[in-house]
Amino acid sequence: MVVVANLRQLTCSDTPSLEGFQRDGPFGIYISARVGPAGGPGEESFGFTLCTPEWFAENMKDTHVPGRHFLFVKEYDYPALERYVRGYCQRCMGNSWKEVAEKVGLLGSWELENYQP
């Protein structure tokens, strides 16, 4: 049986509503994507920084910064963000939830990434 990731919700502690968030100019906000197996119960958190390239450049603390868990946009557009993340998740498939979550984890930091039971 093939497991496919499904976006359940996007949230941000910086704003009460991502749908109503408005920003002109450079910005950077931390997004939590709640993702679970399509057609199944449960969800886990995958976090990433959504930012403009200008904001990123202004906030670089070191001369070299790895780009993992950053999503760059020219401007804020919630419907486009949701479509992108939903589509990304739908392309993450595998034989187990762990395999699928590792793929989603390339976009956002998986809350259980290094968990050892």
Side-chain angles (χ1 to χ4, degrees), residues 1-116:
M1 181 170 139
V2 174
V3 178
V4 178
N6 180 52
L7 175 65
R8 306 242 201 271
Q9 182 181 29
L10 292 173
T11 61
C12 175
S13 62
D14 296 329
T15 181
S17 168
L18 281 171
E19 294 91 339
F21 179 74
Q22 293 183 3
R23 185 62 188 227
D24 290 327
F27 73 91
I29 56 176
Y30 188 78
I31 305 284
S32 177
R34 303 296 293 179
V35 180
E43 63 184 27
E44 293 171 9
S45 180
F46 299 82
F48 60 92
T49 299
L50 178 72
C51 63
T52 60
E54 297 84 7
W55 177 91
F56 184 81
E58 290 171 8
N59 289 277
M60 281 182 64
K61 295 185 180 16
D62 296 316
T63 57
H64 297 84
V65 179
R68 190 170 183 213
H69 303 147
F70 284 87
L71 181 58
F72 295 97
V73 294
K74 291 182 181 180
E75 60 188 16
Y76 185 78
D77 179 342
Y78 179 76
L81 170 64
E82 184 179 29
R83 276 191 309 275
Y84 177 83
V85 176
R86 187 170 305 284
Y88 184 95
C89 289
Q90 290 172 343
R91 291 186 299 278
C92 294
M93 301 176 201
N95 294 318
S96 68
W97 171 246
K98 182 178 185 312
E99 185 180 330
V100 172
E102 288 172 350
K103 292 176 182 178
V104 177
L106 296 175
L107 173 66
S109 177
W110 179 27
E111 65 182 331
L112 301 176
E113 185 168 329
N114 293 312
Y115 176 73
Q116 298 287 329

